[in-house]
Amino acid sequence: MTDKNTANHLKSLKKYTPARIGVGRTGTRPLTKDFLSFRTDHAAAVDAVYGEVSSKLIKELDLFSVETCYETKDHYLKRPDKGRILSEEAKTIIKEKCTLNPQVQIVVSDGLSASAIDENILDVYPALLDSLSMYGLNIGTPFFVKGGRVACMDDIGEILAPEAFILLIGERPGLVCAHSLSAYMCYQPKKGMKESDRMVISNIHRSGTPAIEAAAHMGTLISKMLDQKKSGVDLVV
């Protein structure tokens, strides 16, 4: 293959992926522009993990905030199990402020990317409320969980006993996108729930799954969960 053919082939491949392919090198080193781009994306990923969701944003969404047993960000990264358990204070606040046995419970959590919430939640959250409303579904009392992991759904489910649950949570950042949001859903969450009973719509961000499309799909899936009284691999979609 000639250099010209190689360049054309790489150009064609790059149309289909944001991955770093065919970046070239000078001697044994990467090109300066590519090295700087890598360092920039790495810094964005670190900032996403160690950042904090804007308190102004949480207030704007009219959410109250509780915490898991994560203690510190470093502890959160080393002990994922702590992010799955609510603090005793959080349990008390949720019991005081939330509607019990809601048809649909929505929770927002920073997870592994605070910037995912900062970048996407104002697009996703209102669209999700509209989608659920179109199906005539009743929503419980939404709130924010700091230091949450996906399975914190189960601890919350034990307290509120919702029929269906939606957790909007920041995804683990990569070097292509540091602000990707996921929506995890399940029917009647409880401790010991199998991962195969959960469903997820991932890569929600402006260069991935559009917010409105994701919210519409969430509404459809939740409606089917309530009709079929099941979720995950058992749900007929």
Side-chain angles (χ1 to χ4, degrees):
M1 185 179 287
T2 66
D3 288 343
K4 185 177 180 181
N5 284 338
T6 301
N8 288 337
H9 190 52
L10 283 172
K11 188 177 180 181
S12 174
L13 291 175
K14 285 182 175 181
K15 292 179 182 176
Y16 302 101
T17 177
R20 289 177 167 81
I21 60 172
V23 294
R25 60 188 170 86
T26 175
T28 58
R29 297 173 296 171
L31 299 177
T32 301
K33 66 178 181 62
D34 295 317
F35 182 67
L36 292 176
S37 173
F38 177 87
R39 292 289 301 269
T40 299
D41 290 343
H42 181 261
V46 172
D47 286 348
V49 172
Y50 283 93
E52 301 275 345
V53 174
S54 163
S55 57
K56 182 180 176 183
L57 179 60
I58 296 171
K59 187 175 181 181
E60 185 177 342
L61 294 170
D62 197 24
L63 305 176
F64 69 88
S65 182
V66 296
E67 298 188 6
T68 64
C69 297
Y70 79 103
E71 298 180 10
T72 66
K73 188 64 79 171
D74 285 337
H75 198 234
Y76 172 83
L77 295 174
K78 295 172 182 173
R79 290 287 306 270
D81 56 309
K82 295 293 185 181
R84 299 171 189 140
I85 305 168
L86 295 170
S87 68
E88 290 303 316
E89 182 183 14
K91 293 177 182 177
T92 300
I93 294 172
I94 291 170
K95 288 175 184 174
E96 289 176 352
K97 294 193 172 187
C98 290
T99 302
L100 296 177
N101 308 116
Q103 195 171 25
V104 183
Q105 177 65 46
I106 301 174
V107 170
V108 180
S109 181
D110 47 3
L112 283 162
S113 175
S115 63
I117 304 301
D118 286 343
E119 291 283 335
N120 301 295
I121 201 66
L122 286 179
D123 294 326
V124 175
Y125 188 71
L128 174 59
L129 296 183
D130 285 346
S131 178
L132 295 174
S133 176
M134 287 184 67
Y135 282 97
L137 303 178
N138 296 317
I139 303 166
T141 313
F143 58 94
F144 177 78
V145 174
K146 186 175 181 181
R149 296 276 184 173
V150 172
C152 73
M153 301 167 77
D154 304 349
D155 220 13
I156 298 168
E158 294 284 340
I159 300 170
L160 298 179
E163 285 190 69
F165 196 114
I166 303 173
L167 174 66
L168 302 172
I169 188 168
E171 286 182 7
R172 184 185 304 275
L175 293 173
V176 172
C177 181
H179 49 267
S180 183
L181 185 74
S182 281
Y184 283 83
M185 294 157 282
C186 66
Y187 181 74
Q188 293 187 338
K190 54 185 175 298
K191 287 184 178 178
M193 171 165 258
K194 295 179 294 184
E195 293 306 311
S196 58
D197 288 333
R198 301 188 212 278
M199 309 183 80
V200 63
I201 300 172
S202 62
N203 287 311
I204 304 170
H205 55 89
R206 289 175 188 172
S207 300
T209 304
I212 292 178
E213 183 179 322
H217 194 32
M218 282 181 238
T220 301
L221 288 176
I222 290 294
S223 176
K224 289 187 176 183
M225 284 182 200
L226 295 172
D227 287 343
Q228 299 177 32
K229 301 188 184 305
K230 61 179 74 169
S231 60
V233 296
D234 293 327
L235 188 74
V236 179
V237 294

